[in-house]
Amino acid sequence: MTACSLFSYIAIVWMKMVPMQTIRSRVQLMKISALSLVFCGSVVNGNVSLRYLPVSFNQEIGATTPFFTAVFAYLMTLKREAWLTYVTLILVVTGVGEPSFHLFGFIVCVAATAARALKSVLQGILLSSEGEKLNSMNLLLYKAPIAVVLLLPATLYME
């Protein structure tokens, strides 16, 4: 995240790849902070789940991210998918199974997967909402330093 912050700053300020955008309101800053927090939750929970679950099972659960994305998109933006999409997602979710099951590992892995999906929805809102629209490079510029600050305690504790 530190490298993302640095490189996005270089790309915006020095290389002028996209125009610099400023944070326009406290609400926009809170949305970016929430996005960073959700991102950090997905990273921490994903790493913790690997302590309890095999990587293969972790990947199986991660394959359910589109299901959570569709649910969060509907709950937050009322965006509906085609009925065939929901049927397909049910098939993906019900295909998950693993003999080396650990309940805590499963819970944190599902939390990480849900957080990844929520991050996608929040990011989509910040990239497209008319009043607070940021381009992806500027969003990364503001999100990454917040994520560094939020991940630092977990990194120091876990690593």
Side-chain angles (χ1 to χ4, degrees):
M1 284 292 93
T2 303
C4 286
S5 182
L6 176 65
F7 290 136
S8 62
Y9 181 80
I10 290 169
I12 293 168
V13 175
W14 290 353
M15 299 174 70
K16 308 273 189 221
M17 293 179 80
V18 294
M20 177 72 159
Q21 294 175 290
T22 58
I23 296 176
R24 297 181 188 126
S25 67
R26 179 173 281 217
V27 172
Q28 187 180 35
L29 177 61
M30 295 307 293
K31 287 180 181 179
I32 294 169
S33 298
L35 175 64
S36 297
L37 181 65
V38 169
F39 168 76
C40 294
S42 74
V43 170
V44 170
N45 284 329
N47 287 344
V48 169
S49 73
L50 288 172
R51 182 177 292 171
Y52 300 98
L53 298 176
V55 174
S56 60
F57 189 40
N58 193 291
Q59 292 297 311
E60 284 182 61
I61 295 169
T64 65
T65 302
F67 169 77
F68 286 104
T69 303
V71 169
F72 286 131
Y74 177 73
L75 292 174
M76 296 177 72
T77 66
L78 300 178
K79 179 182 180 234
R80 287 191 170 190
E81 301 293 333
W83 67 270
L84 186 57
T85 302
Y86 291 113
V87 171
T88 305
L89 292 174
I90 289 170
L91 294 174
V92 169
V93 171
T94 57
V96 174
E98 171 66 36
S100 305
F101 183 81
H102 189 280
L103 182 60
F104 179 73
F106 177 76
I107 290 169
V108 294
C109 189
V110 168
T113 302
R116 276 192 295 276
L118 181 57
K119 179 190 76 74
S120 295
V121 172
L122 290 172
Q123 197 165 279
I125 291 169
L126 282 166
L127 292 172
S128 63
S129 67
E130 283 307 315
E132 300 166 339
K133 188 175 183 177
L134 289 170
N135 64 47
S136 57
M137 190 72 70
N138 279 279
L139 181 56
L140 182 61
L141 175 69
Y142 295 120
K143 179 188 90 166
I146 297 169
V148 169
V149 170
L150 294 172
L151 283 174
L152 190 60
T155 302
L156 295 173
Y157 176 74
M158 294 171 72
E159 299 297 329

